[in-house]
Protein backbone atom coordinates (compact mmCIF):
# COMPACT_ATOMS: atom_id res chain seq x y z
CA UNK A 1 0.00 0.00 0.00
CA UNK A 2 1.41 3.38 -1.01
CA UNK A 3 1.60 5.92 1.81
CA UNK A 4 0.00 9.24 0.99
CA UNK A 5 1.18 12.39 2.67
CA UNK A 6 -0.85 15.58 2.87
CA UNK A 7 0.71 18.60 1.21
CA UNK A 8 0.91 20.59 4.49
CA UNK A 9 2.73 17.68 6.11
CA UNK A 10 5.17 17.53 3.20
CA UNK A 11 5.90 21.23 3.69
CA UNK A 12 6.57 20.74 7.38
CA UNK A 13 8.79 17.71 6.79
CA UNK A 14 10.66 19.70 4.15
CA UNK A 15 11.20 22.44 6.73
CA UNK A 16 12.50 19.99 9.32
CA UNK A 17 14.81 18.57 6.68
CA UNK A 18 16.20 22.06 6.09
CA UNK A 19 16.68 22.55 9.83
CA UNK A 20 18.74 19.34 9.96
CA UNK A 21 20.69 20.43 6.88
CA UNK A 22 21.59 23.78 8.47
CA UNK A 23 22.42 22.19 11.82
CA UNK A 24 24.90 19.97 9.98
CA UNK A 25 26.57 23.03 8.42
CA UNK A 26 24.59 23.21 5.18
CA UNK A 27 24.21 26.39 3.14
CA UNK A 28 21.43 25.60 0.64
CA UNK A 29 18.79 28.37 0.55
CA UNK A 30 15.25 27.44 1.55
CA UNK A 31 13.86 28.05 -1.93
CA UNK A 32 16.27 25.44 -3.34
CA UNK A 33 15.73 22.84 -0.63
CA UNK A 34 13.59 19.76 -1.33
CA UNK A 35 14.70 17.10 1.16
CA UNK A 36 12.40 15.85 3.90
CA UNK A 37 13.19 15.29 7.56
CA UNK A 38 11.65 14.13 10.80
CA UNK A 39 10.24 16.54 13.35
CA UNK A 40 12.74 17.68 15.98
CA UNK A 41 10.33 19.49 18.25
CA UNK A 42 6.92 20.98 18.69
CA UNK A 43 7.67 24.17 16.77
CA UNK A 44 9.86 24.98 13.81
CA UNK A 45 12.52 27.67 14.39
CA UNK A 46 11.71 31.05 12.90
CA UNK A 47 12.80 32.12 9.43
CA UNK A 48 15.15 34.77 10.87
CA UNK A 49 16.96 32.25 13.05
CA UNK A 50 17.31 29.73 10.23
CA UNK A 51 18.63 32.29 7.77
CA UNK A 52 21.15 33.59 10.31
CA UNK A 53 22.41 30.04 10.85
CA UNK A 54 22.76 29.65 7.08
CA UNK A 55 24.80 32.87 6.95
CA UNK A 56 27.01 31.57 9.75
CA UNK A 57 27.57 28.36 7.82
CA UNK A 58 28.49 30.34 4.71
CA UNK A 59 31.18 32.21 6.67
CA UNK A 60 32.56 29.37 8.77
CA UNK A 61 31.55 26.50 10.97
CA UNK A 62 29.79 27.60 14.16
CA UNK A 63 30.15 25.54 17.30
CA UNK A 64 27.14 23.29 17.93
CA UNK A 65 26.18 25.34 21.00
CA UNK A 66 26.23 28.52 18.92
CA UNK A 67 24.01 26.93 16.27
CA UNK A 68 21.60 25.71 18.96
CA UNK A 69 21.54 29.15 20.58
CA UNK A 70 20.70 30.79 17.25
CA UNK A 71 17.79 28.43 16.59
CA UNK A 72 16.42 28.92 20.11
CA UNK A 73 16.76 32.71 20.20
CA UNK A 74 14.20 35.46 19.67
CA UNK A 75 14.79 38.66 17.67
CA UNK A 76 15.76 41.58 19.87
CA UNK A 77 14.35 45.10 19.86
CA UNK A 78 11.77 46.60 17.58
CA UNK A 79 10.93 44.68 14.45
CA UNK A 80 9.02 41.68 13.23
CA UNK A 81 8.29 38.68 15.49
CA UNK A 82 9.42 35.15 14.68
CA UNK A 83 8.36 34.50 11.09
CA UNK A 84 7.30 31.22 9.52
CA UNK A 85 8.81 29.71 6.40
CA UNK A 86 6.75 30.16 3.28
CA UNK A 87 5.60 26.77 2.04
CA UNK A 88 6.26 25.01 5.35
CA UNK A 89 2.58 24.68 6.20
CA UNK A 90 -0.85 26.19 5.74
CA UNK A 91 -0.94 29.97 6.04
CA UNK A 92 -2.82 31.38 9.00
CA UNK A 93 -5.38 34.14 8.68
CA UNK A 94 -3.72 35.87 11.62
CA UNK A 95 -0.23 37.22 12.21
CA UNK A 96 2.56 38.00 9.76
CA UNK A 97 2.66 36.17 6.46
CA UNK A 98 5.30 33.43 6.00
CA UNK A 99 8.47 34.55 4.26
CA UNK A 100 11.33 33.33 2.13
CA UNK A 101 14.29 33.64 4.55
CA UNK A 102 16.62 34.84 1.80
CA UNK A 103 14.40 37.90 1.35
CA UNK A 104 14.77 39.03 4.97
CA UNK A 105 16.63 42.28 5.54
CA UNK A 106 20.05 42.32 7.16
CA UNK A 107 18.59 44.31 10.03
CA UNK A 108 16.19 41.49 10.89
CA UNK A 109 19.07 39.03 11.12
CA UNK A 110 21.14 41.43 13.24
CA UNK A 111 18.32 41.43 15.79
CA UNK A 112 18.68 37.67 16.22
CA UNK A 113 22.47 37.89 16.39
CA UNK A 114 22.24 40.60 19.05
CA UNK A 115 20.05 38.39 21.21
CA UNK A 116 22.49 35.47 20.96
CA UNK A 117 25.49 37.68 21.72
CA UNK A 118 23.79 39.21 24.76
CA UNK A 119 23.08 35.75 26.16
CA UNK A 120 26.69 34.74 25.55
CA UNK A 121 28.01 37.77 27.42
CA UNK A 122 25.84 37.05 30.44
CA UNK A 123 26.32 33.27 30.43
CA UNK A 124 30.11 33.68 30.50
CA UNK A 125 29.83 34.52 34.19
CA UNK A 126 30.90 37.53 36.22
CA UNK A 127 33.75 39.64 34.98
CA UNK A 128 36.97 39.53 37.00
CA UNK A 129 37.65 42.60 39.09
CA UNK A 130 41.00 43.97 37.97
CA UNK A 131 43.13 45.93 40.41
CA UNK A 132 43.86 49.30 38.75
CA UNK A 133 47.57 50.08 38.41
CA UNK A 134 48.85 52.61 40.91
CA UNK A 135 50.54 55.75 39.61
CA UNK A 136 53.93 56.82 40.87
CA UNK A 137 53.83 59.67 43.37
CA UNK A 138 57.44 60.55 42.63
CA UNK A 139 56.78 62.12 39.26
CA UNK A 140 54.23 64.46 37.73
CA UNK A 141 50.93 62.72 36.99
CA UNK A 142 48.38 63.17 34.24
CA UNK A 143 44.73 62.56 33.37
CA UNK A 144 43.37 62.17 29.86
CA UNK A 145 39.85 63.51 29.28
CA UNK A 146 37.90 64.81 26.30
CA UNK A 147 37.29 62.68 23.20
CA UNK A 148 36.67 59.27 24.83
CA UNK A 149 37.96 57.15 21.96
CA UNK A 150 41.13 59.19 21.54
CA UNK A 151 41.74 59.42 25.29
CA UNK A 152 41.16 55.68 25.83
CA UNK A 153 43.50 54.71 22.99
CA UNK A 154 46.33 56.89 24.26
CA UNK A 155 45.78 55.96 27.90
CA UNK A 156 45.97 52.23 27.15
CA UNK A 157 49.41 52.68 25.63
CA UNK A 158 50.68 54.75 28.54
CA UNK A 159 49.37 52.22 31.07
CA UNK A 160 51.12 49.44 29.13
CA UNK A 161 54.35 51.39 29.60
CA UNK A 162 53.85 51.60 33.33
CA UNK A 163 52.43 55.14 33.26
CA UNK A 164 48.86 54.87 34.62
CA UNK A 165 46.83 58.07 35.05
CA UNK A 166 46.69 59.94 38.33
CA UNK A 167 49.65 60.68 40.52
CA UNK A 168 50.94 63.81 42.18
CA UNK A 169 49.22 67.01 41.03
CA UNK A 170 48.21 65.49 37.69
CA UNK A 171 48.13 67.64 34.60
CA UNK A 172 44.68 67.47 32.95
CA UNK A 173 45.03 66.84 29.22
CA UNK A 174 41.78 67.58 27.36
CA UNK A 175 42.41 65.73 24.09
CA UNK A 176 40.39 66.10 20.93
CA UNK A 177 40.22 66.54 17.19
CA UNK A 178 37.66 68.07 14.83
CA UNK A 179 34.16 68.23 16.28
CA UNK A 180 32.55 66.00 13.64
CA UNK A 181 34.96 63.16 14.42
CA UNK A 182 34.57 63.65 18.17
CA UNK A 183 30.78 63.51 17.82
CA UNK A 184 31.01 60.18 16.00
CA UNK A 185 33.42 58.92 18.67
CA UNK A 186 31.02 59.98 21.42
CA UNK A 187 28.18 58.04 19.76
CA UNK A 188 30.29 54.90 19.47
CA UNK A 189 31.49 55.22 23.06
CA UNK A 190 27.92 55.47 24.34
CA UNK A 191 26.92 52.46 22.23
CA UNK A 192 29.46 50.40 24.17
CA UNK A 193 28.28 51.93 27.43
CA UNK A 194 25.04 53.38 28.68
CA UNK A 195 23.27 53.05 25.33
CA UNK A 196 22.34 55.48 22.59
CA UNK A 197 19.74 56.12 19.90
CA UNK A 198 20.40 55.39 16.25
CA UNK A 199 23.07 57.69 14.76
CA UNK A 200 20.72 59.91 12.75
CA UNK A 201 18.12 60.19 15.51
CA UNK A 202 20.79 60.98 18.09
CA UNK A 203 22.18 63.80 15.95
CA UNK A 204 18.69 65.20 15.43
CA UNK A 205 18.05 65.32 19.18
CA UNK A 206 21.41 66.97 19.84
CA UNK A 207 20.66 69.63 17.27
CA UNK A 208 17.17 70.28 18.63
CA UNK A 209 18.61 70.74 22.13
CA UNK A 210 21.61 72.74 20.87
CA UNK A 211 23.94 70.62 22.97
CA UNK A 212 27.13 68.72 22.33
CA UNK A 213 27.68 65.16 23.56
CA UNK A 214 29.77 64.43 26.61
CA UNK A 215 33.41 64.09 25.61
CA UNK A 216 33.09 66.17 22.44
CA UNK A 217 32.69 69.52 24.23
CA UNK A 218 36.31 70.26 25.08
CA UNK A 219 35.52 73.72 26.45
CA UNK A 220 33.01 72.30 28.93
CA UNK A 221 35.50 69.62 30.02
CA UNK A 222 38.25 72.20 30.50
CA UNK A 223 35.96 74.39 32.62
CA UNK A 224 34.97 71.46 34.84
CA UNK A 225 38.59 70.60 35.55
CA UNK A 226 39.58 74.24 35.96
CA UNK A 227 37.13 74.49 38.85
CA UNK A 228 38.67 71.39 40.43
CA UNK A 229 42.40 71.94 39.98
CA UNK A 230 42.90 75.44 38.59
CA UNK A 231 43.55 76.68 35.07
CA UNK A 232 47.32 76.23 35.18
CA UNK A 233 46.97 72.44 35.32
CA UNK A 234 44.53 72.20 32.39
CA UNK A 235 45.70 71.93 28.78
CA UNK A 236 43.75 71.44 25.56
CA UNK A 237 45.63 69.00 23.31
CA UNK A 238 44.75 68.83 19.61
CA UNK A 239 48.08 67.30 18.62
CA UNK A 240 48.25 63.67 19.87
CA UNK A 241 52.02 63.68 19.36
CA UNK A 242 52.29 66.10 22.29
CA UNK A 243 50.62 63.71 24.75
CA UNK A 244 53.67 61.57 25.70
CA UNK A 245 55.74 64.59 26.69
CA UNK A 246 52.88 66.16 28.63
CA UNK A 247 52.21 62.85 30.38
CA UNK A 248 55.84 62.43 31.39
CA UNK A 249 56.86 59.83 28.80
CA UNK A 250 59.37 60.58 26.06
CA UNK A 251 58.48 57.72 23.73
CA UNK A 252 56.07 58.28 20.87
CA UNK A 253 52.58 56.80 20.97
CA UNK A 254 50.90 55.08 18.05
CA UNK A 255 47.85 56.77 16.58
CA UNK A 256 44.77 55.04 18.05
CA UNK A 257 42.67 52.96 15.68
CA UNK A 258 38.95 53.64 15.80
CA UNK A 259 36.05 51.26 15.35
CA UNK A 260 33.70 51.83 12.40
CA UNK A 261 30.10 52.87 12.83
CA UNK A 262 28.91 49.29 12.39
CA UNK A 263 30.69 48.32 15.62
CA UNK A 264 28.66 50.87 17.53
CA UNK A 265 25.47 49.77 15.81
CA UNK A 266 26.02 46.14 16.81
CA UNK A 267 26.89 47.15 20.38
CA UNK A 268 23.75 49.30 20.50
CA UNK A 269 21.59 46.32 19.54
CA UNK A 270 23.30 43.98 22.00
CA UNK A 271 23.02 46.59 24.74
CA UNK A 272 19.26 46.82 24.30
CA UNK A 273 19.01 43.10 25.12
CA UNK A 274 21.44 43.30 28.03
CA UNK A 275 19.22 45.98 29.56
CA UNK A 276 16.60 43.25 30.04
CA UNK A 277 19.04 40.74 31.51
CA UNK A 278 21.36 42.58 33.91
CA UNK A 279 21.62 45.83 35.83
CA UNK A 280 22.84 48.87 33.85
CA UNK A 281 26.30 48.99 35.41
CA UNK A 282 26.93 45.31 34.70
CA UNK A 283 25.62 45.71 31.16
CA UNK A 284 28.09 48.51 30.47
CA UNK A 285 30.98 46.44 31.79
CA UNK A 286 29.97 43.47 29.64
CA UNK A 287 29.83 45.65 26.54
CA UNK A 288 33.17 47.36 27.14
CA UNK A 289 35.19 44.52 28.61
CA UNK A 290 33.72 41.45 26.92
CA UNK A 291 32.03 42.46 23.66
CA UNK A 292 34.33 45.26 22.54
CA UNK A 293 37.51 43.11 22.36
CA UNK A 294 35.65 40.57 20.22
CA UNK A 295 34.31 43.30 17.93
CA UNK A 296 37.72 44.95 17.66
CA UNK A 297 39.30 41.73 16.39
CA UNK A 298 36.99 41.65 13.37
CA UNK A 299 35.63 45.13 12.65
CA UNK A 300 38.33 46.21 10.20
CA UNK A 301 38.01 43.01 8.17
CA UNK A 302 34.40 43.75 7.29
CA UNK A 303 33.86 45.09 3.79
CA UNK A 304 31.78 48.24 3.89
CA UNK A 305 32.40 48.98 7.59
CA UNK A 306 33.32 52.68 7.62
CA UNK A 307 33.79 55.64 9.97
CA UNK A 308 30.63 57.65 10.47
CA UNK A 309 30.18 61.00 8.77
CA UNK A 310 27.81 63.76 9.82
CA UNK A 311 24.94 64.02 7.30
CA UNK A 312 24.65 67.28 5.37
CA UNK A 313 21.57 68.53 7.26
CA UNK A 314 23.52 68.68 10.54
CA UNK A 315 26.75 70.20 9.26
CA UNK A 316 25.95 73.91 9.62
CA UNK A 317 24.93 73.42 13.24
CA UNK A 318 28.02 71.40 14.12
CA UNK A 319 30.35 73.79 12.31
CA UNK A 320 28.87 76.71 14.25
CA UNK A 321 29.32 74.82 17.53
CA UNK A 322 32.96 74.12 16.63
CA UNK A 323 33.58 77.81 15.92
CA UNK A 324 32.10 78.78 19.28
CA UNK A 325 34.21 76.17 21.03
CA UNK A 326 37.35 77.43 19.31
CA UNK A 327 36.67 81.03 20.33
CA UNK A 328 35.73 80.02 23.88
CA UNK A 329 38.94 78.06 24.45
CA UNK A 330 41.01 80.92 23.06
CA UNK A 331 39.28 83.54 25.24
CA UNK A 332 39.59 81.37 28.35
CA UNK A 333 43.37 81.32 28.00
CA UNK A 334 43.96 77.59 28.41
CA UNK A 335 47.30 76.19 27.33
CA UNK A 336 46.80 74.76 23.85
CA UNK A 337 48.97 72.15 22.15
CA UNK A 338 48.06 72.01 18.48
CA UNK A 339 45.99 74.27 16.27
CA UNK A 340 42.57 75.40 17.52
CA UNK A 341 41.43 75.71 13.90
CA UNK A 342 41.54 71.91 13.76
CA UNK A 343 38.37 71.85 15.87
CA UNK A 344 36.35 73.06 12.89
CA UNK A 345 35.38 70.17 10.57
CA UNK A 346 36.64 70.22 7.01
CA UNK A 347 33.76 68.65 5.19
CA UNK A 348 34.20 66.31 2.26
CA UNK A 349 31.52 65.33 -0.20
CA UNK A 350 29.90 62.08 0.87
CA UNK A 351 29.52 61.15 -2.79
CA UNK A 352 33.22 61.73 -3.49
CA UNK A 353 34.53 59.95 -0.39
CA UNK A 354 34.01 56.16 -0.29
CA UNK A 355 35.80 55.99 3.08
CA UNK A 356 33.00 57.46 5.22
CA UNK A 357 29.33 56.66 5.70
CA UNK A 358 26.30 58.69 6.77
CA UNK A 359 24.92 55.74 8.75
CA UNK A 360 25.98 52.22 9.71
CA UNK A 361 25.39 49.74 6.90
CA UNK A 362 22.94 46.96 7.91
CA UNK A 363 24.76 44.51 5.63
CA UNK A 364 28.17 45.34 7.11
CA UNK A 365 26.71 45.21 10.63
CA UNK A 366 25.39 41.72 9.89
CA UNK A 367 28.77 40.66 8.50
CA UNK A 368 30.41 41.90 11.70
CA UNK A 369 27.85 40.10 13.88
CA UNK A 370 28.49 36.84 12.02
CA UNK A 371 32.25 37.19 12.47
CA UNK A 372 31.86 37.89 16.19
CA UNK A 373 29.59 34.87 16.65
CA UNK A 374 32.21 32.73 14.91
CA UNK A 375 35.03 34.22 17.00
CA UNK A 376 37.32 31.36 18.01
CA UNK A 377 38.99 33.51 20.67
CA UNK A 378 35.79 34.35 22.53
CA UNK A 379 36.24 33.80 26.24
CA UNK A 380 32.62 32.89 26.71
CA UNK A 381 32.55 29.57 24.89
CA UNK A 382 32.24 26.53 27.08
CA UNK A 383 35.41 24.50 27.26
CA UNK A 384 37.61 27.25 25.87
Amino acid sequence: MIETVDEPEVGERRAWGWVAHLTDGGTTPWRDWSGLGASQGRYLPGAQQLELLRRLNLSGRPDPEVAAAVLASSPAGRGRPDLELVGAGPESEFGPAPVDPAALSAGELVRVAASVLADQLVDAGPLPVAEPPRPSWWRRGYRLVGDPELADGLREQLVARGRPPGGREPRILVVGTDLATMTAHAWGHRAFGEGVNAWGEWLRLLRERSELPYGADLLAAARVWERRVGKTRVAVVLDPAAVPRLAGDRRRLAAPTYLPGEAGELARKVGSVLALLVLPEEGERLLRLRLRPRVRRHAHRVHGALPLAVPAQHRDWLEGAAERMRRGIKRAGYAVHGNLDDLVPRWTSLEDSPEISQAPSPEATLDLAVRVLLDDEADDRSGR
Side-chain angles (χ1 to χ4, degrees):
M1 181 176 180
I2 300 176
E3 179 185 3
T4 59
V5 182
D6 294 337
E7 185 175 343
E9 184 179 344
V10 171
E12 184 174 344
R13 288 177 59 186
R14 175 184 167 223
W16 281 117
W18 194 50
V19 172
H21 170 70
L22 297 178
T23 303
D24 289 339
T27 60
T28 303
W30 168 244
R31 69 168 72 95
D32 298 330
W33 179 256
S34 59
L36 304 181
S39 173
Q40 301 175 29
R42 186 175 180 183
Y43 299 106
L44 282 162
Q48 301 102 311
Q49 291 85 343
L50 291 166
E51 181 62 16
L52 176 60
L53 180 54
R54 191 179 77 85
R55 301 291 185 96
L56 287 167
N57 292 339
L58 284 169
S59 298
R61 187 67 175 97
D63 284 351
E65 60 265 32
V66 173
V70 168
L71 295 181
S73 65
S74 296
R78 296 180 179 178
R80 305 167 80 179
D82 288 352
L83 300 172
E84 296 181 358
L85 295 171
V86 64
E91 293 191 18
S92 171
E93 297 180 359
F94 307 97
V99 298
D100 177 357
L104 290 168
S105 69
E108 287 293 326
L109 304 185
V110 170
R111 292 173 57 222
V112 178
S115 180
V116 177
L117 285 169
D119 286 337
Q120 285 185 350
L121 298 179
V122 174
D123 293 344
L127 287 160
V129 179
E131 185 71 23
R134 295 184 177 183
S136 170
W137 289 91
W138 294 101
R139 53 184 174 181
R140 183 71 177 268
Y142 74 93
R143 289 189 184 278
L144 285 170
V145 299
D147 181 335
E149 294 295 296
L150 178 57
D152 287 353
L154 296 172
R155 188 186 304 108
E156 286 176 5
Q157 296 180 64
L158 289 168
V159 170
R161 294 178 179 180
R163 293 285 291 118
R168 179 176 55 87
E169 296 183 350
R171 179 183 285 119
I172 310 303
L173 307 180
V174 186
V175 296
T177 181
D178 71 273
L179 184 54
T181 299
M182 289 194 291
T183 301
H185 288 174
W187 180 84
H189 193 76
R190 286 181 63 98
F192 279 97
E194 62 267 39
V196 68
N197 289 331
W199 169 240
E201 175 66 9
W202 186 67
L203 286 175
R204 184 187 67 80
L205 292 173
L206 288 175
R207 182 174 184 174
E208 287 182 357
R209 299 167 183 166
S210 296
E211 65 181 29
L212 294 176
Y214 175 80
D217 192 340
L218 303 189
L219 178 58
R223 285 171 173 167
V224 167
W225 282 100
E226 178 187 355
R227 289 193 291 269
R228 295 182 184 180
V229 302
K231 183 178 293 185
T232 58
R233 283 170 52 190
V234 177
V236 175
V237 184
L238 300 175
D239 178 11
V243 169
R245 174 177 55 83
L246 296 170
D249 191 288
R250 297 182 179 181
R251 293 166 291 178
R252 296 179 62 182
L253 298 175
T257 57
Y258 304 120
L259 293 174
E262 287 73 15
E265 182 67 7
L266 179 59
R268 193 174 73 85
K269 299 287 188 180
V270 175
S272 68
V273 185
L274 284 176
L276 305 175
L277 303 177
V278 295
L279 294 174
E281 182 179 351
E282 180 66 10
E284 292 180 27
R285 294 184 71 236
L286 289 172
L287 288 170
R288 288 197 171 128
L289 301 180
R290 190 161 278 162
L291 179 66
R292 187 177 177 114
R294 292 173 64 178
V295 169
R296 181 184 287 178
R297 285 196 287 270
H298 302 282
H300 297 289
R301 303 175 189 173
V302 175
H303 177 72
L306 300 171
L308 287 174
V310 174
Q313 65 267 31
H314 300 297
R315 291 184 169 186
D316 288 345
W317 158 71
L318 206 62
E319 186 173 337
E323 286 283 2
R324 290 189 293 274
M325 188 191 306
R326 181 183 66 81
R327 292 195 299 266
I329 292 173
K330 185 175 182 179
R331 281 198 304 266
Y334 296 111
V336 175
H337 301 268
N339 190 341
L340 282 176
D341 290 340
D342 290 342
L343 286 170
V344 182
R346 291 173 173 80
W347 307 113
T348 58
S349 170
L350 296 173
E351 291 75 16
D352 297 337
S353 179
E355 298 180 353
I356 55 176
S357 173
Q358 292 191 73
S361 160
E363 291 74 20
T365 304
L366 174 59
D367 187 358
L368 177 59
V370 166
R371 291 171 183 267
V372 174
L373 283 170
L374 292 171
D375 187 1
D376 288 333
E377 298 181 44
D379 63 356
D380 51 357
R381 300 276 183 84
S382 60
R384 296 195 178 184

